[in-house]
Amino acid sequence: RHDHPPESYVQDVIAYYYNRAEADGRRVTVCNKHGGDFNFPEQLGLRCYENGRDMPTDVEPWFLIDRAIAYPWSYVNNKRYRDGADYHVRSIVDVVSRGGIFLMSLTPKGDGSIPSEEQEIMRGIGRWMKVNGEAIYGTRPWKVHAEGPTVTRGIKRNAKGEEKEQWDWRKRFTAEDIRFTTKGQALYAIALAWPTDGTLTVRSLSKDADLRIESVSLLGYDGPLRWSQTTNGLDVTLPTEQPCDYAYALRIMTK
């Protein structure tokens, strides 16, 4: 059966949750899971969308996207792992740039062990975070979250066989696809691919932009970079070796 508790019961639970948190001096929120229609009024708590399902194109902070590392949500024999760490990292970058929180669930076996495939995916994400984590953790959205030609919206067929407009992070991104985050005086421009000619151009940061740049560096690389602001954008000459396997973050210090 799919009976739901009475509304009064749910209200009592949420009231107790918030009141207890206030008494303990803690800040908490309710994850408002979007399952076609919001379970609660849309303005309550943190809006949550399963892998972006039913999330609007113009979504604004703050929201959460939850995803299984591979579907189904539980472990099954001969499970197929369609996506590697690169897909999840690019998803994290895009979601965080929009003011979102990324939550990924693992699917342990019956004995509680994590499948080796999932361990390897998580190690890949961890290696990327070790280099680029400062462009993600504790950051906030910038005045624009993105630039570039690749559209992360498209028509996809859902589990019910319905064709609907949905978010799609499996697109083939280019070096022109850049996501922005900011923290303090630092602006991070994260390119979702490495430029083939070795020059990364950030068009939102042309010399006509109302932003004074003090320095530009590449996370994971200790050497200096050549850069200049032109009418076309901020042009940065990158080193010959990539500091990580995917998604490359410039740290741009502003005055």
Side-chain angles (χ1 to χ4, degrees):
R1 298 181 62 184
H2 299 284
D3 293 337
H4 295 284
E7 184 175 323
S8 59
Y9 179 85
V10 176
Q11 290 175 335
D12 288 344
V13 170
I14 293 177
Y16 175 83
Y17 176 64
Y18 277 115
N19 291 337
R20 181 63 182 267
E22 184 177 5
D24 293 343
R26 293 182 292 116
R27 297 181 64 185
V28 298
T29 190
V30 171
C31 289
N32 194 344
K33 180 74 173 186
H34 196 308
D37 293 312
F38 278 90
N39 300 327
F40 307 116
E42 189 168 348
Q43 66 271 19
L44 174 69
L46 183 68
R47 294 165 298 158
C48 303
Y49 306 90
E50 183 181 331
N51 209 24
R53 176 167 55 91
D54 297 317
M55 187 172 77
T57 302
D58 57 352
V59 64
E60 295 181 351
W62 302 100
F63 63 94
L64 179 145
I65 283 180
D66 58 326
R67 166 191 297 170
I69 194 169
Y71 291 91
W73 284 91
S74 60
Y75 180 77
V76 294
N77 291 329
N78 302 313
K79 187 162 186 172
R80 179 189 175 202
Y81 292 87
R82 179 179 180 182
D83 303 301
D86 57 338
Y87 165 72
H88 298 296
V89 164
R90 293 186 182 105
S91 300
I92 291 169
V93 171
D94 186 63
V95 168
V96 171
S97 73
R98 300 172 188 272
I101 299 168
F102 185 89
L103 174 65
M104 187 161 70
S105 297
L106 305 184
T107 61
K109 296 181 179 180
D111 62 2
S113 63
I114 304 300
S116 59
E117 296 91 342
E118 300 184 18
Q119 292 185 40
E120 184 55 33
I121 291 171
M122 293 303 296
R123 289 191 186 100
I125 297 172
R127 286 191 294 269
W128 187 87
M129 285 292 186
K130 188 174 182 179
V131 174
N132 302 283
E134 73 169 79
I136 299 295
Y137 295 120
T139 60
R140 294 293 183 265
W142 192 44
K143 61 181 181 181
V144 295
H145 79 271
E147 67 177 44
T150 307
V151 178
T152 50
R153 294 280 280 183
I155 301 299
K156 293 175 62 179
R157 188 180 300 275
N158 63 21
K160 298 179 181 179
E162 304 166 332
E163 289 191 343
K164 298 181 65 177
E165 186 180 33
Q166 299 180 52
W167 292 86
D168 183 3
W169 289 282
R170 293 191 178 97
K171 298 292 186 70
R172 185 178 295 277
F173 292 101
T174 72
E176 295 179 69
D177 293 304
I178 296 173
R179 301 295 182 265
F180 299 97
T181 62
T182 184
K183 180 167 52 181
Q185 296 300 112
L187 171 64
Y188 299 95
I190 308 171
L192 298 183
W194 189 264
T196 56
D197 62 358
T199 299
L200 185 64
T201 299
V202 186
R203 301 191 183 280
S204 298
L205 299 179
S206 69
K207 67 179 183 180
D208 298 324
D210 185 22
L211 189 72
R212 297 179 63 190
I213 296 176
E214 187 173 80
S215 66
V216 178
S217 56
L218 177 67
L219 297 189
Y221 175 70
D222 293 331
L225 299 177
R226 287 188 300 148
W227 59 274
S228 63
Q229 277 183 291
T230 70
T231 55
N232 193 43
L234 171 65
D235 294 328
V236 182
T237 302
L238 299 180
T240 55
E241 293 189 9
Q242 302 176 11
C244 55
D245 294 329
Y246 24 75
Y248 313 93
L250 294 177
R251 181 200 297 119
I252 302 161
M253 300 304 298
T254 60
K255 298 179 181 179

